[in-house]
Amino acid sequence: MSSEKVTDTAVTDTPEEGYERGLGSRQVQMIAIGGAIGVGLFLGAGANIAKAGPSLIVMYALAGAIVFFIMRALGELLLYRPVSGSFAEYSREFLGPFFGYFTGWTYWLMWVVTGMAELTAAAIYVNYWFPAVPQWVTALVFLVILFGVNLISVKVFGELEFWFSMVKVTALIGMIVIGLGVLTFGFSSAGDTAAVSNLWAFDGFFPKGVGSSLMTLQGVMFAYLAVELVGVTAGESENPEKTLPKAINTLPWRIALFYVGALTVILCVVKWTEFAPGVSPFVAAFAKIGIPAGAGIVNFVVLTAALSSCNSGMYSTGRMLRNLADSGEAPAVFRRLSASKTPAFGITISVLFMGIGVILNYVVPEKAFGYVTSVATAAGIWTWLMILISHVLYRRAVVAGRLPASSFPAPGGSAFSWVAIVFLLFVTGLIAYDADSRVCLYVMAGWAAALGVGWAVLKSRNPQVAARREPEFEKVG
């Protein structure tokens, strides 16, 4: 990297990548909002409530603050150089080619296994209405439909994701309003027992102890996976220097309302001891309230959330494979764009791997969700760590005058990035401590070994792949 002082502080961008800038402000905003509301909240919260009781609210708030630090770090990098496949690109620039390669492939893995989790969750939700239909059949049908949507164009993806997210947001706000109504006016069959005191009346706010509450952090972090999807949209956003900061800065109120607010209301309306793993607490709460068809409506909403996340997974995996191919770290065939400017081949390969989730639903339907969420969380933590470390190194380069300053600097410089790094390492330690989730670290170790072998083969065939390259800049506007 050049040591000459850089004085140009304009927002920078990579040259045209061939993508269509088809995601408008409305769609990017809703993708950002929808990314913070997924199956981790709608389905995973049931198991975490059983483990931690009302203290789960604090865990979501704590993890939410860390996620905001991560997103502000990413935001500063995105406005320094907005590029599709951003995490891999920044790892490549600031940590070296191997880290770009490793991060790109690991983020791809994260979304493939997340797609499996979402397909599993969607199949569980459909089972609510049609218990006779096997989980694997439902998962396969949804996989094929979303695959078709992603092949059409980025505009169709963006529009579908907009409406998916609109359903989630509207429904969650509705749930909060109805829950507050039950608390305030005491209507419905839950009115007699609904009270704020439910947060501490049953063995206290930390009924299983602080340690048990901390152990839920791994599941809580899975719930926040996908907030960084905004970074993947950078190469296809119409006006990244305006839409991306707005999307990131609205994250705190989204977390406060949709996670902390919604869980607080639900746990006031229904005492925590009535929730169980494998059942959405939102569906259970509406069944308890007794609103006609309420549980069915909520079940439709959480089904929408699952399909939304799977849709996003197909979108991001294709883009990440193309970024890897552009750097010589994946087969060149992944660079091809279809007539509609989508990385169709990369999406197709990713969908085939997501199909493993269909097989898991056939073989171990009761364990499929737990298996894949733990692997996705480990891969997500790696991605977030790379964003944070890249940000720390970028800030050092800016202070030294080697790189232009971003127009969207993170508050406190790199201080909060260090806080987030320590927190993520702590969560990794919790995963290692827990016997059930520890298996994901073994999977990640095997994945790292496979990538290490792949890197050695790549270097032997093309030594240039291991050479650092100067980032290309182009002013936006």
Side-chain angles (χ1 to χ4, degrees), residues 42 175 193 214 225 281 316 328 337 342 365 403 418 429 440 445 449:
F42 283 127
M175 290 178 206
T193 55
L214 289 174
L225 292 184
S316 56
L337 292 178
T342 62
L403 287 175
W418 279 113
C440 75

Side-chain angles (χ1 to χ4, degrees), residues 33 71 167 192 354 411 431 433 459 464 476:
I33 292 171
M71 290 304 294
V167 168
D192 294 337
M354 285 182 192
I431 292 173
Y433 179 77
K459 280 204 303 181
Q464 277 296 107
V476 173

Side-chain angles (χ1 to χ4, degrees), residues 121-146:
I124 290 170
Y125 297 142
V126 170
N127 194 252
Y128 175 85
W129 293 302
F130 306 105
V133 178
Q135 272 186 213
W136 71 270
V137 172
T138 311
L140 181 61
V141 169
F142 286 138
L143 184 70
V144 172
I145 292 172
L146 294 177

Side-chain angles (χ1 to χ4, degrees), residues 306-373:
L307 296 179
S308 166
S309 188
C310 190
N311 188 40
S312 297
M314 290 183 190
Y315 169 85
S316 56
T317 49
R319 272 71 185 172
M320 193 56 72
L321 286 178
R322 186 166 187 250
N323 177 268
L324 287 162
D326 280 338
S327 302
E329 295 161 359
V333 67
F334 290 123
R335 296 184 64 183
R336 295 179 188 167
L337 292 178
S338 66
S340 57
K341 296 187 177 179
T342 62
F345 188 75
I347 293 172
T348 303
I349 295 299
S350 301
V351 166
L352 289 175
F353 276 95
M354 285 182 192
I356 296 172
V358 176
I359 298 171
L360 280 175
N361 274 287
Y362 179 74
V363 179
V364 282
E366 71 287 347
K367 295 182 178 179
F369 187 76
Y371 283 160
V372 293
T373 54

Side-chain angles (χ1 to χ4, degrees), residues 29-322:
Q29 290 299 317
M30 201 52 81
I31 287 170
I33 292 171
I37 308 168
V39 166
L41 172 65
F42 283 127
L43 181 61
N48 287 325
I49 289 171
K51 289 179 184 175
S55 65
L56 184 65
I57 297 166
V58 175
M59 298 302 108
Y60 270 106
L62 174 62
I66 297 300
V67 166
F68 180 61
F69 297 157
I70 294 167
M71 290 304 294
R72 281 305 304 255
L74 176 60
E76 182 164 3
L77 291 167
L78 285 172
L79 271 292
Y80 147 68
R81 192 161 69 96
V83 58
S84 189
S86 56
F87 330 113
E89 196 59 40
Y90 301 136
S91 300
R92 198 172 286 121
E93 179 180 350
F94 295 107
L95 288 140
F98 174 76
F99 286 92
Y101 157 84
F102 196 100
T103 301
W105 277 110
T106 301
Y107 192 67
W108 174 83
L109 174 72
M110 186 198 92
W111 269 114
V112 165
V113 294
T114 298
M116 293 180 195
E118 309 299 359
L119 288 169
T120 300
I124 290 170
Y125 297 142
V126 170
N127 194 252
Y128 175 85
W129 293 302
F130 306 105
V133 178
Q135 272 186 213
W136 71 270
V137 172
T138 311
L140 181 61
V141 169
F142 286 138
L143 184 70
V144 172
I145 292 172
L146 294 177
F147 175 48
V149 166
N150 271 270
L151 290 184
I152 299 171
S153 76
V154 70
K155 285 184 177 178
V156 174
F157 158 79
E159 199 60 31
L160 183 64
E161 199 55 35
F162 174 85
W163 289 108
F164 272 159
S165 296
M166 183 67 81
V167 168
K168 291 188 287 188
V169 170
T170 304
L172 263 181
I173 292 173
M175 290 178 206
I176 291 170
V177 170
I178 291 171
L180 289 173
V182 172
L183 279 169
T184 306
F185 303 108
F187 64 80
S188 89
S189 57
D192 294 337
T193 55
V196 175
S197 61
N198 282 342
L199 294 178
W200 60 82
F202 301 93
D203 297 324
F205 190 71
F206 289 87
K208 301 287 185 75
V210 175
S212 185
S213 298
L214 289 174
M215 290 306 294
T216 65
L217 279 174
Q218 51 191 300
V220 169
M221 295 310 288
F222 173 77
Y224 285 117
L225 292 184
V227 293
E228 75 293 323
L229 184 65
V230 172
V232 183
T233 69
E236 292 169 276
S237 301
E238 287 177 354
N239 197 354
E241 68 272 21
K242 290 185 179 178
T243 57
L244 295 179
K246 187 177 178 183
I248 291 168
N249 278 335
T250 54
L251 185 65
W253 74 257
R254 296 200 305 269
I255 289 171
L257 178 65
F258 298 132
Y259 279 93
V260 179
L263 274 176
T264 301
V265 170
I266 289 284
L267 288 167
C268 286
V269 171
V270 182
K271 57 186 180 183
W272 73 269
T273 53
E274 296 188 24
F275 296 108
V279 178
S280 169
F282 295 91
V283 174
F286 268 65
K288 174 77 172 176
I289 290 170
I291 295 174
I297 292 169
V298 176
N299 200 64
F300 170 74
V301 173
V302 295
L303 171 62
T304 302
L307 296 179
S308 166
S309 188
C310 190
N311 188 40
S312 297
M314 290 183 190
Y315 169 85
S316 56
T317 49
R319 272 71 185 172
M320 193 56 72
L321 286 178
R322 186 166 187 250

